[in-house]
Amino acid sequence: MKLQNINLENNLKTFTNFAENHSNEIPYSLTLDFKKHKGHIVFSGLVHGNETGSLPAIIRIIQDLLSKKISYGGKISFFLGNIPAAQQNVRFIEMDLNRSFGESAATNTTIEAKRARELTPLLQQADVYYDFHQTIMPCLRPFYIFEMDFQSYYWARSTGIANTYVTRKKGAAFSNLGMCTDEYVRSLQKVGITIELGEKGFQKDAELYAYLIMKRAIKNMDLVYLHNCSIKKLAHKNEDFEFMQIKYKEKFDHPNKRLHQGFSNFKFIDKNDSIGFDGNNKPLIAPLSGNLLFPKYPPRDENNQAKSPLPGELYVIAQKMNFHPLKWLSAYKSRENPSRTPNSK
Ligand SMILES: [Zn+2]
C-alpha cells in the first residue's frame, strides 16, 4: 500500500473512533457541545477526495478539544466530505461534491449528490463554516477564496494565517455546475469560508495552516458568542488581505483543450501568451494578463483527449484588485433580491 493510503486509513480510523463517541448521526462527522454558548462552528476536509492535508490537523484539534488543551465553550462539528474519492486518491467519483449543493443538485443521483443531501442538515446548523481545500498543482501561497460578504470577510481576516483573498462579487457563483459547500452556507446568511492550503495531499505546511486557522477560529467563536466581541473589531486587529479577483474562466468545453505542462498556481501570464491547445489543436491564447489559478491536468487517453467528466474550467485568471472589495457591498445593499442561483451570471 502506498504511504498516502496508509496515512489516510490510519487517520480515518482515528476519526471514526472519535465519531463513534460523539456521533451526530451523519457518517464521517462528529459534534462536540461544551454548552457555555450557542455558537456552532463547523470545519470540513476531504470535500475533494485527494485534498487530505487538513485531516491530520482536524484530528489534532479534536484531541486538543477533548483533552482541554484547547478551551472552547460552544458547539463544534467536523465532517470529512468524500471518503470513497479519498480512498481512490481522486477529486471525486461521479460528480464534484463541491458543486453538489443547493437546488440544482437536489434530484441528482450521483454518490456525491447523495452525500451532499446527507451533509446539508449539518451545514444548515452552522453559524460559521470553514472548508479546507488544496490545489491540484503546486501553489505559491495559501489563500482564502469566496464571494465577498461582510461577515465571512471579517471572520477570515480575524483568523488570518493566509494573506491572500481571491474574491468575487456577492451573487457571482464560483462554478456553473452547482453550489459549493461554503456558497450554500452563505446562501443561508451565515459565515462560509474556503481556504486553499497549498498543493494537494498530506503536507506539513497544509497541516500547520489548517491547525492554526481552526485554533484561531475557535478562540474567536468564544470571543464573539461568549464575550460579545465584535468580529469586525477582531478583524481590524489583523492586517488586511492582498485582494485578487477572478477576471476570466476558460471553460473546459472540449476534451482536446489542454494547458502546457507545469503551470503552478499564481504563475503570472501575459496577455496573448500561448498557454496550451484549444479544441481544434490551435494555440490556446491567454485573453488577459494576470495570475493563473486552478490549472487542471485531468487524465487523457492515447489521443490526448481528457477523460470524462471534464472539470468545469480548464483554468482561471486572477488579477490584483486596485480597490477594496467592500465597495461592492455598498452597491449590493441597495439592490433588491440579489440573484444567488449558481447558474446566473
Ligand atoms: Zn478542493
Side-chain angles (χ1 to χ4, degrees):
M1 229 198 304
K2 283 185 190 163
L3 186 61
Q4 166 95 9
N5 294 11
I6 296 168
N7 261 344
L8 179 71
E9 289 308 324
N10 287 341
N11 278 293
L12 289 182
K13 212 178 281 171
T14 311
F15 186 90
T16 318
N17 286 341
F18 287 136
E20 271 173 21
N21 296 323
H22 305 280
S23 166
N24 59 14
E25 306 294 319
I26 299 168
Y28 289 99
S29 179
L30 64 89
T31 299
L32 308 174
D33 191 352
F34 296 93
K35 293 187 165 45
K36 284 188 194 146
H37 64 75
K38 292 258 183 263
H40 188 185
I41 187 163
V42 177
F43 294 105
S44 61
L46 296 181
V47 165
H48 290 135
N50 50 7
E51 299 170 13
T52 49
S54 61
L55 181 52
I58 286 174
I59 286 168
R60 253 172 77 201
I61 286 282
I62 297 168
Q63 284 167 336
D64 289 353
L65 285 163
L66 290 173
S67 69
K68 306 275 189 249
K69 189 177 163 194
I70 292 177
S71 80
Y72 178 53
K75 212 170 173 181
I76 181 165
S77 299
F78 301 87
F79 72 85
L80 308 179
N82 199 336
I83 301 295
Q87 285 168 332
Q88 293 183 34
N89 196 19
V90 292
R91 187 175 171 85
F92 58 86
I93 304 284
E94 292 180 277
M95 182 187 172
D96 192 333
L97 177 60
N98 210 25
R99 310 285 184 269
S100 299
F101 288 82
E103 276 173 34
S104 62
T107 54
N108 207 302
T109 56
T110 60
I111 52 171
E112 278 86 3
K114 284 179 197 156
R115 179 63 171 156
R117 287 194 284 277
E118 205 167 69
L119 292 166
T120 295
L122 179 62
L123 291 177
Q124 285 171 342
Q125 293 170 31
D127 294 303
V128 176
Y129 169 59
Y130 286 75
D131 188 21
F132 292 113
H133 285 258
Q134 286 164 291
T135 53
I136 296 169
M137 296 303 287
C139 186
L140 303 176
R141 52 188 180 272
F143 58 104
Y144 288 95
I145 178 161
F146 53 94
E147 115 203 289
M148 194 61 197
D149 161 84
F150 279 116
Q151 292 300 313
S152 302
Y153 158 60
Y154 293 141
W155 273 90
R157 182 169 161 185
S158 67
T159 309
I161 306 298
N163 302 317
T164 300
Y165 173 10
V166 178
T167 190
R168 57 193 185 271
K169 272 190 196 175
K170 203 176 174 85
F174 179 66
S175 165
N176 296 323
L177 300 176
M179 269 191 177
C180 305
T181 52
D182 67 329
E183 202 172 12
Y184 178 70
V185 174
R186 282 192 310 276
S187 77
L188 306 172
Q189 319 304 323
K190 300 292 177 60
V191 172
I193 292 170
T194 292
I195 313 110
E196 300 278 352
L197 298 166
E199 189 184 355
K200 71 183 179 196
F202 289 104
Q203 311 275 1
K204 278 288 156 206
D205 283 0
E207 181 182 340
L208 181 64
Y209 295 144
Y211 182 83
L212 293 174
I213 285 169
M214 287 188 278
K215 201 174 157 187
R216 286 198 186 178
I218 288 167
K219 191 176 167 203
N220 288 339
M221 284 297 287
D222 277 351
L223 290 172
V224 170
Y225 285 89
L226 199 56
H227 302 291
N228 294 315
C229 292
S230 134
I231 193 65
K232 186 176 177 182
K233 279 193 184 148
L234 292 172
H236 281 256
K237 288 183 181 172
N238 280 353
E239 289 271 306
D240 211 345
F241 292 108
E242 167 197 52
F243 292 101
M244 300 189 80
Q245 184 185 6
I246 291 175
K247 299 295 271 189
Y248 178 76
K249 292 177 185 177
E250 181 73 38
K251 278 197 183 142
F252 211 144
D253 51 8
H254 193 291
N256 192 62
K257 255 193 192 178
R258 59 192 185 273
L259 287 167
H260 294 319
Q261 288 304 310
F263 279 112
S264 51
N265 287 281
F266 292 103
K267 165 80 182 160
F268 191 87
I269 52 173
D270 280 307
K271 187 179 175 176
N272 296 329
D273 277 356
S274 167
I275 55 174
F277 294 97
D278 70 9
N280 302 314
N281 249 346
K282 300 251 168 62
L284 185 68
I285 301 298
L288 40 97
S289 301
N291 298 84
L292 192 135
L293 280 180
F294 306 120
K296 305 269 177 12
Y297 294 93
R300 290 179 184 271
D301 65 18
E302 62 282 4
N303 299 316
N304 242 336
Q305 306 299 297
K307 293 179 184 167
S308 310
L310 298 181
E313 288 95 23
L314 180 66
Y315 72 90
V316 306
I317 297 174
Q319 288 180 338
K320 265 184 201 170
M321 294 179 66
N322 55 11
F323 63 93
H324 200 290
L326 277 179
K327 274 190 186 159
W328 285 331
L329 295 179
S330 46
Y332 163 78
K333 272 203 270 184
S334 63
R335 222 192 331 144
E336 276 181 61
N337 299 325
S339 168
R340 301 201 56 109
T341 52
N343 292 320
S344 65
K345 280 280 149 172

